[in-house]
Coordinates of all heavy atoms in Angstrom, one line a residue:
L213 N -62.2 -61.2 -15.8 CA -61.4 -62.1 -16.6 C -61.8 -63.5 -16.4 O -62.2 -64.0 -15.4 CB -59.8 -62.0 -16.2 CG -59.3 -60.6 -16.2 CD1 -57.8 -60.6 -15.6 CD2 -59.1 -60.2 -17.7
S214 N -61.7 -64.3 -17.6 CA -62.3 -65.6 -17.6 C -61.5 -66.4 -18.7 O -60.7 -65.8 -19.5 CB -63.7 -65.7 -17.8 OG -64.1 -65.4 -19.2
N215 N -61.8 -67.8 -18.8 CA -61.2 -68.5 -19.9 C -61.6 -68.1 -21.3 O -61.2 -68.6 -22.3 CB -61.3 -70.0 -19.6 CG -62.8 -70.4 -19.7 OD1 -63.8 -69.7 -19.5 ND2 -62.9 -71.7 -20.1
L216 N -62.6 -67.2 -21.5 CA -63.1 -66.7 -22.7 C -62.5 -65.3 -23.0 O -62.9 -64.7 -23.9 CB -64.7 -66.5 -22.7 CG -65.4 -67.9 -22.6 CD1 -66.9 -67.6 -22.6 CD2 -65.0 -68.9 -23.6
T217 N -61.5 -64.9 -22.1 CA -61.0 -63.5 -22.3 C -59.7 -63.6 -23.2 O -58.8 -64.4 -22.9 CB -60.7 -62.8 -21.0 OG1 -61.8 -62.8 -20.2 CG2 -60.1 -61.4 -21.1
S218 N -59.5 -62.7 -24.1 CA -58.3 -62.6 -24.8 C -57.9 -61.0 -24.8 O -58.8 -60.2 -24.6 CB -58.5 -63.0 -26.3 OG -58.8 -64.3 -26.3
L219 N -56.7 -60.8 -25.1 CA -56.2 -59.4 -25.0 C -55.8 -59.1 -26.5 O -55.1 -59.8 -27.2 CB -54.9 -59.3 -24.2 CG -54.3 -57.9 -24.1 CD1 -55.2 -56.9 -23.5 CD2 -52.9 -58.0 -23.4
Y220 N -56.3 -57.9 -26.9 CA -56.0 -57.4 -28.2 C -55.0 -56.1 -28.1 O -55.3 -55.3 -27.4 CB -57.2 -57.0 -29.0 CG -56.9 -56.3 -30.3 CD1 -56.5 -57.0 -31.4 CD2 -56.9 -54.9 -30.4 CE1 -56.2 -56.4 -32.7 CE2 -56.7 -54.2 -31.6 CZ -56.3 -55.0 -32.7 OH -56.0 -54.4 -33.9
V221 N -53.8 -56.2 -28.8 CA -52.9 -55.1 -28.6 C -52.7 -54.6 -30.1 O -52.1 -55.3 -31.0 CB -51.5 -55.6 -28.1 CG1 -50.5 -54.5 -28.0 CG2 -51.7 -56.3 -26.7
P222 N -53.1 -53.3 -30.3 CA -52.9 -52.8 -31.7 C -51.5 -52.7 -32.1 O -50.6 -52.5 -31.2 CB -53.6 -51.4 -31.6 CG -54.4 -51.4 -30.3 CD -53.7 -52.4 -29.4
A223 N -51.3 -52.7 -33.4 CA -49.9 -52.6 -33.9 C -49.4 -51.2 -33.7 O -50.2 -50.2 -33.7 CB -49.8 -52.9 -35.4
V224 N -48.2 -51.0 -33.4 CA -47.5 -49.7 -33.3 C -47.4 -49.1 -34.7 O -46.8 -49.7 -35.5 CB -46.2 -49.8 -32.5 CG1 -45.5 -48.4 -32.6 CG2 -46.4 -50.3 -31.1
R225 N -47.8 -47.9 -34.7 CA -47.7 -47.1 -36.0 C -46.6 -46.1 -35.8 O -46.6 -45.3 -34.9 CB -49.0 -46.5 -36.4 CG -50.1 -47.5 -36.5 CD -49.8 -48.6 -37.6 NE -50.9 -49.6 -37.7 CZ -50.9 -50.6 -38.4 NH1 -49.7 -51.0 -39.0 NH2 -51.9 -51.4 -38.4
G226 N -45.7 -45.9 -36.8 CA -44.6 -45.0 -36.7 C -43.4 -45.6 -36.1 O -43.5 -46.4 -35.1
I227 N -42.3 -45.2 -36.6 CA -40.9 -45.7 -36.2 C -40.6 -45.4 -34.8 O -40.0 -46.2 -34.1 CB -39.9 -45.3 -37.1 CG1 -38.6 -46.2 -37.0 CG2 -39.5 -43.8 -36.9 CD1 -37.6 -45.9 -38.1
E228 N -41.1 -44.2 -34.3 CA -40.7 -43.7 -33.0 C -41.2 -44.6 -31.9 O -40.6 -44.7 -30.8 CB -41.2 -42.3 -32.6 CG -40.5 -41.2 -33.6 CD -41.1 -41.1 -34.9 OE1 -42.1 -41.9 -35.2 OE2 -40.6 -40.3 -35.8
G229 N -42.4 -45.3 -32.1 CA -42.9 -46.1 -31.0 C -42.3 -47.5 -30.8 O -42.6 -48.3 -30.0
S230 N -41.4 -47.8 -31.8 CA -40.8 -49.2 -31.8 C -39.3 -49.2 -31.8 O -38.6 -50.1 -32.3 CB -41.4 -50.0 -33.0 OG -40.9 -49.4 -34.2
F231 N -38.7 -48.3 -31.1 CA -37.3 -48.1 -31.0 C -36.6 -49.3 -30.3 O -35.5 -49.6 -30.5 CB -36.9 -46.8 -30.4 CG -36.9 -45.6 -31.3 CD1 -37.1 -44.3 -30.8 CD2 -36.7 -45.7 -32.6 CE1 -37.2 -43.2 -31.6 CE2 -36.8 -44.6 -33.5 CZ -37.1 -43.4 -32.9
K232 N -37.4 -50.0 -29.5 CA -36.8 -51.1 -28.7 C -36.7 -52.4 -29.5 O -36.2 -53.3 -29.0 CB -37.7 -51.4 -27.5 CG -37.7 -50.3 -26.5 CD -38.4 -50.6 -25.2 CE -38.4 -49.5 -24.2 NZ -39.1 -49.8 -23.0
Q233 N -37.2 -52.4 -30.7 CA -37.2 -53.6 -31.5 C -36.0 -53.7 -32.5 O -35.6 -52.7 -33.1 CB -38.5 -53.7 -32.3 CG -39.7 -53.9 -31.5 CD -40.3 -55.3 -31.5 OE1 -40.8 -55.8 -32.5 NE2 -40.2 -56.0 -30.4
Y234 N -35.4 -54.9 -32.6 CA -34.3 -55.1 -33.4 C -34.6 -54.7 -34.9 O -33.9 -54.1 -35.6 CB -33.8 -56.5 -33.4 CG -33.0 -56.9 -34.6 CD1 -31.6 -56.5 -34.6 CD2 -33.4 -57.7 -35.6 CE1 -30.9 -56.8 -35.7 CE2 -32.6 -58.0 -36.7 CZ -31.4 -57.6 -36.7 OH -30.6 -58.0 -37.9
G235 N -35.8 -55.1 -35.4 CA -36.2 -54.8 -36.7 C -36.2 -53.3 -37.0 O -35.9 -52.9 -38.2
T236 N -36.6 -52.5 -36.1 CA -36.6 -51.1 -36.3 C -35.2 -50.6 -36.5 O -34.9 -49.7 -37.4 CB -37.2 -50.4 -35.0 OG1 -38.5 -50.8 -34.9 CG2 -37.2 -48.8 -35.3
L237 N -34.2 -51.0 -35.7 CA -32.9 -50.6 -35.8 C -32.3 -51.0 -37.2 O -31.6 -50.3 -37.8 CB -32.0 -51.2 -34.7 CG -30.4 -50.9 -34.8 CD1 -30.2 -49.5 -34.7 CD2 -29.7 -51.6 -33.7
R238 N -32.7 -52.2 -37.5 CA -32.3 -52.7 -39.0 C -32.7 -51.8 -40.0 O -32.1 -51.4 -41.0 CB -32.8 -54.2 -39.1 CG -32.4 -54.8 -40.4 CD -31.0 -55.5 -40.2 NE -30.5 -55.9 -41.5 CZ -30.8 -57.0 -42.1 NH1 -31.6 -57.9 -41.5 NH2 -30.3 -57.3 -43.3
E239 N -34.0 -51.4 -39.9 CA -34.6 -50.5 -40.8 C -33.9 -49.1 -40.9 O -33.7 -48.5 -41.9 CB -36.1 -50.3 -40.5 CG -36.8 -49.4 -41.5 CD -38.3 -49.2 -41.1 OE1 -38.8 -50.0 -40.3 OE2 -39.0 -48.4 -41.7
I240 N -33.6 -48.6 -39.8 CA -32.9 -47.3 -39.6 C -31.6 -47.3 -40.3 O -31.3 -46.5 -41.1 CB -32.7 -46.9 -38.2 CG1 -34.1 -46.5 -37.5 CG2 -31.8 -45.7 -38.0 CD1 -34.0 -46.3 -36.0
I241 N -30.8 -48.4 -40.0 CA -29.4 -48.5 -40.6 C -29.6 -48.6 -42.1 O -28.8 -48.0 -43.0 CB -28.7 -49.7 -40.0 CG1 -28.5 -49.5 -38.6 CG2 -27.3 -49.8 -40.7 CD1 -27.9 -48.3 -38.1
S242 N -30.5 -49.4 -42.6 CA -30.8 -49.6 -44.0 C -31.1 -48.3 -44.7 O -30.7 -47.9 -45.8 CB -31.8 -50.6 -44.3 OG -32.1 -50.8 -45.7
T243 N -32.1 -47.5 -44.0 CA -32.3 -46.2 -44.5 C -31.2 -45.2 -44.7 O -31.0 -44.5 -45.6 CB -33.5 -45.6 -43.7 OG1 -34.5 -46.4 -43.6 CG2 -34.0 -44.2 -44.2
L244 N -30.3 -45.2 -43.6 CA -29.2 -44.3 -43.6 C -28.2 -44.7 -44.7 O -27.6 -43.8 -45.3 CB -28.4 -44.4 -42.3 CG -29.2 -43.9 -41.0 CD1 -28.4 -44.2 -39.8 CD2 -29.3 -42.4 -41.1
R245 N -28.1 -46.0 -45.1 CA -27.3 -46.3 -46.2 C -27.9 -46.3 -47.5 O -27.3 -46.7 -48.6 CB -26.7 -47.7 -45.9 CG -25.8 -47.9 -44.6 CD -24.4 -47.7 -45.0 NE -24.0 -48.6 -46.2 CZ -22.8 -48.5 -46.9 NH1 -22.0 -47.5 -46.7 NH2 -22.7 -49.4 -47.8
G246 N -29.3 -46.1 -47.6 CA -30.0 -46.2 -48.7 C -29.9 -44.9 -49.7 O -29.2 -44.0 -49.3
P247 N -30.6 -44.9 -50.8 CA -30.5 -43.9 -51.8 C -30.7 -42.4 -51.2 O -30.1 -41.5 -51.5 CB -31.5 -44.2 -52.8 CG -31.6 -45.7 -52.7 CD -31.5 -46.0 -51.2
D248 N -31.7 -42.4 -50.3 CA -32.2 -41.1 -49.7 C -31.5 -40.9 -48.3 O -32.1 -40.1 -47.5 CB -33.7 -40.9 -49.8 CG -34.2 -41.0 -51.1 OD1 -33.6 -40.4 -52.0 OD2 -35.3 -41.7 -51.3
G249 N -30.5 -41.7 -48.0 CA -29.9 -41.7 -46.6 C -28.9 -40.6 -46.5 O -28.9 -39.5 -47.2
C250 N -28.1 -40.9 -45.5 CA -27.0 -39.8 -45.1 C -25.7 -40.0 -45.9 O -25.3 -41.1 -46.0 CB -26.7 -40.1 -43.6 SG -25.3 -39.1 -42.9
P251 N -25.3 -38.9 -46.4 CA -24.1 -38.9 -47.2 C -22.9 -39.6 -46.5 O -22.2 -40.3 -47.2 CB -23.9 -37.4 -47.6 CG -25.1 -36.8 -47.4 CD -25.9 -37.5 -46.4
W252 N -22.7 -39.2 -45.3 CA -21.6 -39.8 -44.5 C -21.7 -41.3 -44.4 O -20.8 -42.0 -44.6 CB -21.5 -39.2 -43.1 CG -20.3 -39.6 -42.3 CD1 -19.1 -39.0 -42.3 CD2 -20.3 -40.8 -41.5 NE1 -18.3 -39.7 -41.5 CE2 -18.9 -40.7 -41.0 CE3 -21.1 -41.8 -41.0 CZ2 -18.5 -41.8 -40.1 CZ3 -20.6 -42.7 -40.2 CH2 -19.3 -42.7 -39.6
D253 N -22.9 -41.8 -43.9 CA -23.1 -43.3 -43.8 C -23.0 -44.0 -45.1 O -22.4 -45.1 -45.2 CB -24.6 -43.5 -43.3 CG -24.7 -43.2 -41.8 OD1 -24.2 -43.9 -40.9 OD2 -25.2 -42.0 -41.5
K254 N -23.4 -43.4 -46.2 CA -23.4 -44.0 -47.5 C -21.9 -44.3 -48.0 O -21.6 -45.2 -48.8 CB -24.2 -43.3 -48.6 CG -25.7 -43.4 -48.4 CD -26.4 -42.9 -49.6 CE -26.4 -41.4 -49.7 NZ -27.3 -40.9 -50.8
E255 N -20.9 -43.4 -47.6 CA -19.6 -43.5 -48.1 C -18.7 -44.3 -47.2 O -17.5 -44.5 -47.6 CB -19.0 -42.1 -48.3 CG -18.7 -41.3 -47.0 CD -18.2 -40.0 -47.3 OE1 -18.3 -39.4 -48.4 OE2 -17.5 -39.5 -46.3
Q256 N -19.2 -44.8 -46.1 CA -18.4 -45.6 -45.2 C -18.1 -47.0 -45.8 O -18.9 -47.6 -46.6 CB -19.0 -45.8 -43.8 CG -19.2 -44.5 -43.1 CD -17.9 -43.6 -43.0 OE1 -16.9 -44.1 -42.7 NE2 -18.0 -42.4 -43.5
T257 N -16.9 -47.5 -45.5 CA -16.5 -48.9 -45.8 C -16.0 -49.6 -44.6 O -15.9 -49.1 -43.5 CB -15.4 -48.8 -46.8 OG1 -14.2 -48.2 -46.1 CG2 -15.6 -48.0 -48.0
H258 N -15.8 -50.9 -44.8 CA -15.2 -51.7 -43.6 C -14.0 -51.1 -43.1 O -13.7 -50.9 -41.9 CB -15.0 -53.1 -44.0 CG -16.2 -53.9 -44.3 ND1 -17.3 -54.1 -43.4 CD2 -16.6 -54.7 -45.4 CE1 -18.2 -54.9 -44.0 NE2 -17.8 -55.2 -45.1
Q259 N -13.2 -50.6 -44.0 CA -11.8 -50.1 -43.6 C -12.0 -48.7 -42.9 O -11.5 -48.4 -41.9 CB -10.9 -49.8 -44.8 CG -10.4 -51.1 -45.4 CD -9.5 -51.8 -44.5 OE1 -8.7 -51.2 -43.7 NE2 -9.4 -53.1 -44.5
S260 N -12.9 -47.9 -43.4 CA -13.0 -46.5 -42.8 C -13.7 -46.6 -41.4 O -13.5 -45.7 -40.6 CB -13.9 -45.7 -43.7 OG -15.3 -46.1 -43.8
L261 N -14.5 -47.7 -41.1 CA -15.2 -47.8 -39.8 C -14.3 -48.5 -38.8 O -14.7 -48.4 -37.6 CB -16.4 -48.5 -40.1 CG -17.6 -47.9 -40.8 CD1 -18.7 -48.9 -41.0 CD2 -18.1 -46.7 -40.0
K262 N -13.2 -49.0 -39.2 CA -12.3 -49.7 -38.2 C -12.0 -48.8 -36.9 O -12.1 -49.3 -35.8 CB -11.0 -50.2 -38.9 CG -11.2 -51.4 -39.7 CD -10.0 -51.7 -40.5 CE -8.7 -51.9 -39.7 NZ -7.5 -52.2 -40.5
K263 N -11.6 -47.6 -37.1 CA -11.2 -46.8 -36.0 C -12.3 -46.5 -35.1 O -12.2 -46.4 -33.9 CB -10.6 -45.4 -36.6 CG -11.5 -44.6 -37.4 CD -10.8 -43.4 -37.9 CE -11.7 -42.6 -38.8 NZ -11.0 -41.4 -39.4
Y264 N -13.5 -46.4 -35.7 CA -14.8 -46.1 -34.8 C -15.0 -47.4 -33.9 O -15.5 -47.2 -32.8 CB -15.8 -45.7 -35.6 CG -15.6 -44.5 -36.5 CD1 -15.5 -44.5 -37.9 CD2 -15.5 -43.2 -35.9 CE1 -15.2 -43.4 -38.6 CE2 -15.3 -42.1 -36.7 CZ -15.1 -42.2 -38.0 OH -14.8 -41.0 -38.8
L265 N -14.8 -48.5 -34.5 CA -15.2 -49.7 -33.8 C -14.2 -49.8 -32.5 O -14.6 -50.1 -31.4 CB -15.0 -51.0 -34.6 CG -15.3 -52.3 -33.9 CD1 -16.6 -52.3 -33.3 CD2 -15.2 -53.4 -35.0
I266 N -12.9 -49.5 -32.8 CA -11.9 -49.6 -31.7 C -12.2 -48.5 -30.7 O -12.3 -48.7 -29.5 CB -10.5 -49.4 -32.3 CG1 -10.1 -50.5 -33.1 CG2 -9.5 -49.2 -31.2 CD1 -8.9 -50.3 -33.9
E267 N -12.6 -47.3 -31.1 CA -12.9 -46.2 -30.2 C -14.1 -46.5 -29.4 O -14.1 -46.3 -28.1 CB -13.1 -45.0 -31.1 CG -13.6 -43.7 -30.3 CD -13.9 -42.6 -31.2 OE1 -13.1 -42.3 -32.1 OE2 -15.0 -41.9 -31.0
E268 N -15.2 -47.0 -30.0 CA -16.4 -47.3 -29.2 C -16.2 -48.4 -28.2 O -16.7 -48.4 -27.2 CB -17.6 -47.6 -30.2 CG -17.9 -46.5 -31.2 CD -18.4 -45.2 -30.5 OE1 -18.6 -45.2 -29.3 OE2 -18.6 -44.2 -31.2
T269 N -15.4 -49.4 -28.6 CA -15.1 -50.5 -27.7 C -14.4 -50.1 -26.4 O -14.7 -50.4 -25.4 CB -14.2 -51.6 -28.5 OG1 -14.9 -52.1 -29.6 CG2 -13.9 -52.7 -27.5
Y270 N -13.4 -49.2 -26.6 CA -12.7 -48.7 -25.5 C -13.5 -47.7 -24.6 O -13.4 -47.7 -23.4 CB -11.4 -47.9 -25.9 CG -10.2 -48.9 -26.1 CD1 -9.9 -49.3 -27.3 CD2 -9.5 -49.3 -25.0 CE1 -8.9 -50.3 -27.5 CE2 -8.5 -50.3 -25.2 CZ -8.2 -50.7 -26.4 OH -7.1 -51.6 -26.6
E271 N -14.4 -47.0 -25.2 CA -15.4 -46.2 -24.5 C -16.3 -47.1 -23.7 O -16.7 -46.7 -22.5 CB -16.1 -45.3 -25.3 CG -15.3 -44.1 -26.0 CD -16.1 -43.2 -26.8 OE1 -17.4 -43.3 -27.0 OE2 -15.4 -42.3 -27.4
L272 N -16.7 -48.3 -24.2 CA -17.6 -49.1 -23.5 C -16.8 -49.8 -22.3 O -17.2 -49.8 -21.1 CB -18.0 -50.4 -24.4 CG -18.7 -51.6 -23.7 CD1 -19.9 -51.1 -22.9 CD2 -19.0 -52.6 -24.7
L273 N -15.5 -50.1 -22.5 CA -14.6 -50.6 -21.4 C -14.5 -49.5 -20.3 O -14.5 -49.9 -19.1 CB -13.3 -51.0 -21.9 CG -13.2 -52.2 -22.9 CD1 -11.8 -52.4 -23.4 CD2 -13.7 -53.4 -22.3
E274 N -14.4 -48.3 -20.6 CA -14.3 -47.3 -19.7 C -15.5 -47.1 -18.9 O -15.5 -46.9 -17.6 CB -14.0 -45.9 -20.3 CG -13.9 -44.7 -19.4 CD -13.6 -43.4 -20.1 OE1 -12.6 -43.5 -21.0 OE2 -14.3 -42.5 -19.9
A275 N -16.7 -47.2 -19.5 CA -17.9 -47.2 -18.8 C -18.2 -48.4 -17.9 O -18.7 -48.2 -16.8 CB -19.2 -47.2 -19.9
I276 N -17.6 -49.5 -18.3 CA -17.7 -50.7 -17.4 C -16.8 -50.5 -16.2 O -17.2 -50.7 -15.1 CB -17.3 -52.0 -18.1 CG1 -18.3 -52.3 -19.2 CG2 -17.1 -53.1 -17.2 CD1 -17.9 -53.4 -20.1
D277 N -15.6 -50.0 -16.3 CA -14.7 -49.6 -15.2 C -15.4 -48.6 -14.3 O -15.1 -48.7 -13.1 CB -13.4 -49.1 -15.8 CG -12.6 -50.2 -16.4 OD1 -12.9 -51.4 -16.2 OD2 -11.7 -49.9 -17.3
E278 N -16.1 -47.7 -14.9 CA -16.7 -46.7 -14.1 C -18.0 -47.2 -13.3 O -18.6 -46.5 -12.5 CB -17.1 -45.4 -14.9 CG -15.9 -44.7 -15.4 CD -16.3 -43.6 -16.4 OE1 -17.4 -43.6 -16.8 OE2 -15.4 -42.8 -16.7
D279 N -18.4 -48.3 -13.8 CA -19.7 -49.0 -13.2 C -20.8 -48.0 -13.3 O -21.8 -47.9 -12.5 CB -19.5 -49.4 -11.7 CG -20.5 -50.3 -11.3 OD1 -21.2 -51.0 -12.1 OD2 -20.8 -50.4 -10.1
D280 N -20.9 -47.3 -14.6 CA -22.0 -46.3 -14.8 C -22.9 -47.1 -15.8 O -22.7 -47.2 -17.0 CB -21.3 -45.1 -15.6 CG -22.3 -44.1 -15.7 OD1 -23.6 -44.3 -15.9 OD2 -21.9 -42.8 -15.9
I281 N -24.0 -47.5 -15.2 CA -25.1 -48.3 -16.0 C -25.6 -47.5 -17.2 O -25.6 -48.1 -18.3 CB -26.2 -48.7 -15.1 CG1 -25.7 -49.6 -13.9 CG2 -27.2 -49.6 -15.9 CD1 -24.9 -50.7 -14.2
D282 N -26.0 -46.3 -17.1 CA -26.5 -45.5 -18.1 C -25.4 -45.4 -19.2 O -25.8 -45.5 -20.4 CB -26.9 -44.2 -17.7 CG -28.2 -44.2 -16.8 OD1 -29.0 -45.2 -17.0 OD2 -28.4 -43.3 -16.0
H283 N -24.3 -45.1 -18.8 CA -23.1 -45.0 -19.8 C -22.9 -46.4 -20.5 O -22.6 -46.4 -21.7 CB -21.9 -44.6 -19.1 CG -20.8 -44.1 -19.9 ND1 -19.5 -43.8 -19.6 CD2 -20.8 -43.8 -21.4 CE1 -18.8 -43.4 -20.6 NE2 -19.6 -43.3 -21.6
I284 N -22.9 -47.4 -19.7 CA -22.8 -48.8 -20.3 C -23.8 -49.0 -21.4 O -23.5 -49.5 -22.5 CB -22.8 -49.9 -19.3 CG1 -21.6 -49.8 -18.4 CG2 -22.9 -51.3 -20.0 CD1 -21.6 -50.7 -17.2
V285 N -25.0 -48.7 -21.1 CA -26.2 -48.8 -22.1 C -25.9 -48.1 -23.3 O -26.0 -48.6 -24.4 CB -27.5 -48.5 -21.5 CG1 -28.6 -48.5 -22.5 CG2 -27.9 -49.4 -20.3
E286 N -25.5 -46.9 -23.1 CA -25.2 -46.0 -24.3 C -24.1 -46.5 -25.2 O -24.1 -46.6 -26.4 CB -24.9 -44.6 -23.8 CG -24.5 -43.6 -25.0 CD -24.1 -42.3 -24.5 OE1 -24.2 -42.0 -23.3 OE2 -23.8 -41.4 -25.4
E287 N -23.0 -47.0 -24.5 CA -21.8 -47.4 -25.2 C -22.0 -48.7 -25.9 O -21.5 -49.0 -26.9 CB -20.6 -47.4 -24.3 CG -20.1 -46.1 -23.7 CD -19.8 -45.1 -24.9 OE1 -19.5 -45.4 -26.0 OE2 -20.0 -43.8 -24.6
L288 N -22.8 -49.6 -25.2 CA -23.1 -50.9 -25.9 C -24.0 -50.6 -27.2 O -23.7 -51.3 -28.2 CB -24.0 -51.7 -24.9 CG -23.3 -52.6 -23.9 CD1 -24.3 -53.2 -22.9 CD2 -22.4 -53.7 -24.6
G289 N -24.8 -49.5 -27.1 CA -25.5 -49.2 -28.3 C -24.5 -48.7 -29.4 O -24.8 -49.1 -30.6
D290 N -23.5 -48.0 -29.0 CA -22.6 -47.5 -30.0 C -21.7 -48.7 -30.7 O -21.5 -48.6 -31.8 CB -21.6 -46.4 -29.4 CG -22.3 -45.1 -29.0 OD1 -23.4 -44.9 -29.6 OD2 -21.8 -44.4 -28.2
V291 N -21.4 -49.6 -29.9 CA -20.8 -50.8 -30.4 C -21.6 -51.6 -31.3 O -21.2 -52.0 -32.4 CB -20.2 -51.7 -29.2 CG1 -19.6 -53.0 -29.8 CG2 -19.2 -51.0 -28.4
L292 N -22.9 -51.7 -30.9 CA -23.9 -52.5 -31.7 C -24.1 -51.7 -33.1 O -24.2 -52.3 -34.2 CB -25.2 -52.6 -31.0 CG -26.4 -53.3 -31.8 CD1 -26.0 -54.6 -32.2 CD2 -27.6 -53.2 -30.9
L293 N -24.1 -50.4 -33.0 CA -24.2 -49.6 -34.3 C -23.1 -49.9 -35.2 O -23.4 -50.1 -36.4 CB -24.1 -48.1 -33.9 CG -24.1 -47.1 -35.1 CD1 -25.2 -47.3 -36.0 CD2 -23.8 -45.7 -34.6
Q294 N -21.9 -50.1 -34.7 CA -20.7 -50.4 -35.6 C -21.0 -51.8 -36.2 O -20.7 -52.1 -37.4 CB -19.4 -50.4 -34.9 CG -19.0 -49.0 -34.3 CD -19.0 -48.0 -35.3 OE1 -18.4 -48.1 -36.4 NE2 -19.7 -46.9 -35.1
V295 N -21.5 -52.8 -35.5 CA -21.8 -54.0 -36.0 C -22.8 -54.0 -37.0 O -22.7 -54.6 -38.1 CB -22.3 -55.0 -34.9 CG1 -22.6 -56.4 -35.4 CG2 -21.2 -55.2 -33.8
M296 N -23.9 -53.2 -36.8 CA -25.0 -53.1 -37.8 C -24.5 -52.4 -39.0 O -24.9 -53.0 -40.1 CB -26.1 -52.3 -37.2 CG -26.8 -53.0 -35.9 SD -27.6 -54.5 -36.3 CE -29.0 -53.9 -37.2
L297 N -23.7 -51.4 -38.9 CA -23.1 -50.7 -40.1 C -22.3 -51.7 -41.0 O -22.5 -51.7 -42.2 CB -22.3 -49.6 -39.7 CG -23.2 -48.2 -39.3 CD1 -22.2 -47.2 -38.7 CD2 -23.9 -47.8 -40.5
H298 N -21.4 -52.5 -40.3 CA -20.6 -53.5 -41.0 C -21.5 -54.5 -41.8 O -21.3 -54.9 -42.9 CB -19.6 -54.1 -40.1 CG -18.4 -53.3 -39.9 ND1 -17.4 -53.1 -40.7 CD2 -18.1 -52.6 -38.8 CE1 -16.4 -52.3 -40.2 NE2 -16.8 -52.0 -39.0
A299 N -22.5 -55.0 -41.1 CA -23.5 -55.9 -41.7 C -24.2 -55.4 -42.8 O -24.4 -56.1 -43.8 CB -24.4 -56.5 -40.6

Side-chain angles (χ1 to χ4, degrees):
L213 298 174
S214 73
N215 66 332
L216 295 179
T217 301
S218 297
L219 177 67
Y220 173 77
V221 182
V224 171
R225 303 301 179 190
I227 197 171
E228 293 82 3
S230 59
F231 281 152
K232 292 183 178 181
Q233 293 256 287
Y234 162 75
T236 301
L237 177 60
R238 182 85 192 275
E239 181 182 349
I240 291 171
I241 302 302
S242 177
T243 301
L244 288 172
R245 291 269 307 168
D248 299 321
C250 171
W252 185 91
D253 288 283
K254 288 194 287 185
E255 70 181 21
Q256 297 311 306
T257 66
H258 292 306
Q259 287 295 326
S260 69
L261 288 173
K262 283 170 58 178
K263 60 183 178 181
Y264 300 109
L265 179 56
I266 294 172
E267 177 183 314
E268 299 298 355
T269 300
Y270 275 97
E271 289 182 4
L272 171 60
L273 295 177
E274 180 179 311
I276 293 172
D277 289 337
E278 293 172 349
D279 197 23
D280 185 335
I281 300 303
D282 291 337
H283 195 194
I284 290 174
V285 170
E286 179 183 355
E287 296 303 335
L288 276 171
D290 289 342
V291 172
L292 177 59
L293 170 62
Q294 297 303 311
V295 174
M296 298 296 289
L297 282 170
H298 280 284

